[in-house]
Structure formats: C-alpha cells, structure tokens
C-alpha cells in the first residue's frame, strides 16, 4: 500500500486503456466465449467479456501486457460487470467469485512480471468495480417514479462478494468506476469498508464518476462538486471521472473538483466523442495533446483512457506525463 502512495506523490501515474476495444479485435465467436467449460450452456454467452478471464485467459493477459508495455503503471481487472447483478443477464451468478478471482490473478501475474524486470517502476492492479446495470436512486419505469429495480442492500451484498474475490486474487487497489448513480457507488464503498474492517486491511480505493452529457451532471443529477461532496467522507486514493466524454469535454469537471480535495485526481476519458457509428476516431496524438492541458494546469495524478483507447493512446499519454511533477496530494 505504501508503494502506491509513494508512487502517486512522485509522478503522474498512467492507467491503462479500454479492455473492450482491445477484445473486439480478437473477433471472438460464441464458441470462443463459451470455451470448453461452458460449451453446453443453455443461453448465448457472446458479449460477456468478463467471462473471457475464464475461457480465454491468455487473451486477457496479452491485453494487460500490451498496456504495461505502452507505459501503464496500473491496469484494471477484466471485471467491469463482475457482480451477481450484472451477471444475471447471462444466468452466471454462480461464477462471479471465480470470475473476479481469476481476473485479478491474471492481471497480478502480468504486473509482477513487469515489476520484476523494472523494480524501480512497480506496476499495480486495480480491481474494476462497475456500476451494474441497475440504478438504486431512480425508477426505470416512467409511469412509476417510486419504483426501484434494486435496493441498497442488494447492491452492498453483490459488491461485497466482488470485493472479496478481487482482494483474494491479489489486486493492489479497488476502483469503483463509471459511477452514474452515486447511491450505487455508496453501496460499493460501504461494502469495501465492511471487508476492510473484517479483514483488518486498508487497501487503497479509487472512485471515478461519469458525466453523462453536456449538462455537466451524472445520470442521477449531480454536478461534479456534488459528486465529490457525496463520497469524500471515505478515505480515497483518488477521485475523478471517466467515460462518456472525451478529454477536452472532461476538463472543466476536473477543474471543478481539483481545488476542492486533497486526494489524488484521476481521469480516463474516451478517445473523443463517438461518431455516427458509435466508434471513436480520436488519434493517440490528438488525445495526448488534450491531456497535456491537464498536466499544464496541474489537474491530475492518475490519467489513462476509457472507450476507444488502445495501447497507442496510452503510450502517447505516458510520453506526455513522463518526468512531470504531479499535483500535490495529502493522503
């Protein structure tokens, strides 16, 4: 734990880029997703990227390796949908612990191999904890505003299982990311604090919200400042934003919180905004040029990429932040 805190104070840390973007290049078939283990499963599994940690572990390890080679200090586990809530879509709730454990173990082994080669630059693994596909503070039914598809306690229980598996698998950090509903995030943070207390451990925690559109608010209606206030009672390694927006559009929201917290500030934006086909066209050079504005304004401590980003994007970002004095933090 001290190692990650020391690294954060010494330099701007580089987070990896998109896992989904990289996996699309493999063009895995239904059979590939199933593997031998799930070859007779009763419903389709194609699209369940988290499952690939079990059925295609070599591909997941290769993606992590490419991001470390590009200059990443931190890679995220392949567990964005690794809760019983999200896995219910595939009727794979029973596999959730194994899925998270396997994902953490794969990433940790790759990280350790790089750290052994370059002990002066330790590599870290962040356990990715996604928002689930349900929201605790809003109704999915416009005709019944009081209805909720999930409760806080159901979220807490699901997140706790994921957190335990990620820690057992060896992650260095827990990353609650792409937060569109702060109540969901609070359930994740509550679960993390439960596990930390039960295990007498103090694993660092990152939290990253998502500003969904030009309104400058999360899906549940909070501004960047309100989001920060809602979660800053928890000791955090970093707070920041990812997804939905490109680096240029994300900058004012980082500015809004950077002066209001002593924790680290993280940003992993998309490679610009999606085009008409839902694809991301921003080149590594274009994205890195925008990230340079973050550096020039002393806004960030951790920076990487989300949707549409590749090792080439991460390499360009790593070049921009190399040797730069990081924003001051108090942790």
């Amino acid at each position: 734990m001290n190692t990650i805190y020391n690294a954060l104070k010494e330099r701007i840390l580089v987070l990896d880029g998109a896992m989904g973007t990289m996996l699309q290049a493999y063009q895995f078939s239904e059979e590939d997703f199933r593997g031998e283990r799930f070859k007779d499963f009763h419903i389709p599994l194609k699209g369940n990227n988290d499952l690939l940690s079990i059925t295609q572990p070599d591909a997941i390890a290769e993606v992590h390796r490419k991001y470390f080679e590009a200059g990443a200090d931190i890679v995220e586990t392949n567990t964005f949908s690794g809760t019983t809530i999200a896995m219910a879509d595939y009727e794979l709730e029973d596999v959730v612990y194994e899925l998270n454990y396997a994902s953490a173990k794969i990433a940790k082994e790759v990280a350790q191999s790089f750290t052994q080669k370059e002990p002066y630059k330790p590599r870290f693994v962040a356990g990715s904890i996604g928002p689930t596909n349900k929201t605790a503070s809003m109704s999915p039914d416009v005709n019944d505003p009081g209805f909720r598809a999930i409760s806080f306690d159901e979220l807490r229980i699901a997140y706790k299982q994921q957190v335990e598996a990620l820690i057992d698998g060896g992650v260095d950090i827990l990353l609650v990311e792409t937060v569109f509903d702060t109540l969901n995030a609070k359930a994740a943070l509550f679960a993390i604090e439960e596990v930390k207390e039960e295990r007498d451990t103090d694993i660092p925690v990152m939290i990253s919200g998502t500003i969904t559109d030009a309104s400058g608010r999360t899906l549940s209606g909070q501004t960047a400042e309100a989001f920060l206030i809602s979660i800053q009672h928890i000791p955090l390694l970093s707070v920041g934003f990812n997804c939905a927006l490109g680096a240029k559009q994300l900058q004012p929201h980082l500015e809004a919180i950077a002066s209001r917290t002593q924790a680290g500030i993280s940003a992993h934006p998309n490679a610009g905004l999606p085009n008409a086909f839902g694809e991301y066209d921003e080149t590594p050079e274009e994205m890195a040029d925008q990230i340079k504005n973050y550096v020039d304004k002393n806004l960030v401590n951790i920076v990487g990429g989300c949707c549409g980003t590749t090792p080439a994007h991460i390499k360009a970002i790593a070049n921009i932040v190399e040797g730069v004095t990081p924003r001051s933090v108090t942790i």
Side-chain angles (χ1 to χ4, degrees), residues 73-93:
D73 297 284
I74 308 168
V75 298
E76 301 171 56
T77 56
N78 181 40
T79 54
F80 184 81
S81 299
T83 58
T84 51
I85 296 164
M87 282 294 139
D89 285 355
Y90 295 95
E91 299 181 23
L92 285 173
E93 296 95 324

Side-chain angles (χ1 to χ4, degrees), residues 98-147:
E98 180 187 355
L99 187 154
N100 282 277
Y101 180 85
S103 297
K105 197 165 182 294
I106 292 166
K108 186 68 172 180
E109 287 174 355
V110 177
Q112 287 176 328
S113 71
F114 276 84
T115 299
Q116 286 169 0
K117 286 187 290 186
E118 300 174 322
Y120 57 88
K121 185 183 179 182
R123 304 313 209 280
F124 305 98
V125 175
S128 173
I129 301 171
T132 83
N133 49 4
K134 295 184 179 180
T135 172
S137 67
M138 295 178 291
S139 172
D141 184 354
V142 294
N143 297 311
D144 187 0
F147 174 72

Side-chain angles (χ1 to χ4, degrees), residues 13-17 267-269 287 291 302-306 309 314 317:
L13 299 181
V14 178
L15 192 65
D16 62 0
H268 49 296
M287 186 174 184
I291 295 291
I302 302 172
V303 65
C306 202
T309 57
I314 298 308
I317 291 169

Side-chain angles (χ1 to χ4, degrees), residues 180 210-220 244-245:
F180 58 77
T210 186
I211 302 295
T212 51
D213 55 35
S215 72
R217 294 175 181 267
T218 65
L219 188 64
S220 54
L245 304 177

Side-chain angles (χ1 to χ4, degrees), residues 114-252:
F114 276 84
T115 299
Q116 286 169 0
K117 286 187 290 186
E118 300 174 322
Y120 57 88
K121 185 183 179 182
R123 304 313 209 280
F124 305 98
V125 175
S128 173
I129 301 171
T132 83
N133 49 4
K134 295 184 179 180
T135 172
S137 67
M138 295 178 291
S139 172
D141 184 354
V142 294
N143 297 311
D144 187 0
F147 174 72
R148 296 292 180 270
I150 195 83
S151 71
F152 182 92
D153 210 42
E154 288 171 325
L155 284 163
R156 178 191 64 81
I157 292 167
Y159 279 131
K160 187 174 182 182
Q161 181 188 28
Q162 182 177 28
V163 167
E164 289 173 334
L166 289 170
I167 292 175
D168 289 347
V171 301
D172 305 293
I173 307 159
L174 293 170
L175 169 57
V176 182
E177 65 165 311
T178 322
V179 175
F180 58 77
D181 184 342
T182 307
L183 192 55
N184 286 38
K186 282 178 174 287
L189 294 171
F190 192 97
I192 290 168
E193 291 303 305
E194 273 193 309
V195 174
K196 286 166 66 173
E197 184 175 347
E198 289 171 5
R199 298 189 175 205
D200 192 25
T201 187
D202 195 21
I203 188 167
V205 178
M206 299 171 62
I207 187 164
S208 182
T210 186
I211 302 295
T212 51
D213 55 35
S215 72
R217 294 175 181 267
T218 65
L219 188 64
S220 54
Q222 287 186 310
T223 61
E225 298 95 320
F227 171 69
L228 174 64
I229 291 167
S230 295
I231 48 85
Q232 64 182 1
H233 61 289
I234 298 289
L236 296 170
L237 179 74
S238 70
V239 58
F241 296 103
N242 73 288
C243 205
L245 304 177
K248 182 178 181 180
Q249 295 83 12
L250 195 60
Q251 183 172 320

